[in-house]
Amino acid sequence: MAIRPVKDMVAEAKAGIETMPVAEAMRAAAAGEIQLVDIRDVRELDRDGRIPGALHAPRGMLEFWVDPESPYHKPAFDTDRKLVLFCASAWRSALATRTLREMGLENVAEMADGFKGWVAAGGAVEKRDP
């Protein structure tokens, strides 16, 4: 059985979701218009840092934390602000954004180029003290 390439799945997801450019995400986050959601693994946060004010929701728990009927629901997701998901380079976030759309969330997007794009654009990053 042939495995469907993940790059094809990501391309399909990106075709059906909103992708917010990094510059727009920076402006909207600073204005409090969006909630950035970091879906990277905690080891990535420890290694590379995090965007100040971003909500951390590991990819493996995202759907459970978003669903108000889940025993794992996090009230931080009860917001009128647009959720803008990001990962390292916008592959996982594309798939996650599509999944949240499939769950019924309409006010959700991914950030173009992910955390790497944020860093390349000079965005603020917090590093954890060793």
Side-chain angles (χ1 to χ4, degrees):
M1 176 172 85
I3 293 177
R4 186 171 173 214
V6 72
K7 68 179 181 178
D8 293 349
M9 294 174 65
V10 169
E12 182 181 293
K14 285 182 179 287
I17 62 171
E18 177 186 348
T19 299
M20 183 178 284
V22 173
E24 183 180 342
M26 288 177 159
R27 183 207 57 75
E33 298 169 0
I34 63 170
Q35 174 61 61
L36 291 172
V37 180
D38 190 339
I39 66 166
R40 295 175 300 146
D41 182 89
V42 69
R43 292 169 294 215
E44 293 173 278
L45 275 65
D46 288 343
R47 182 187 65 223
D48 302 327
R50 58 182 69 212
I51 296 173
L55 176 64
H56 180 237
R59 177 67 190 98
M61 292 301 295
L62 182 64
E63 295 87 349
F64 299 97
W65 287 8
V66 168
D67 180 359
E69 295 184 25
S70 165
Y72 302 104
H73 175 67
K74 298 286 185 186
F77 288 99
D78 297 333
T79 181
D80 291 333
R81 293 187 292 167
K82 179 179 286 196
L83 300 177
V84 179
L85 281 53
F86 68 93
C87 60
S89 56
W91 282 42
R92 290 171 287 177
S93 59
L95 297 174
T97 299
R98 179 180 65 183
T99 299
L100 294 186
R101 298 268 312 155
E102 290 170 353
M103 288 177 69
L105 275 127
E106 296 177 4
N107 208 12
V108 63
E110 69 154 350
M111 182 172 69
D113 304 318
F115 184 76
K116 291 177 183 177
W118 180 275
V119 171
V125 174
E126 296 176 334
K127 294 273 187 167
R128 202 179 270 188
D129 290 332

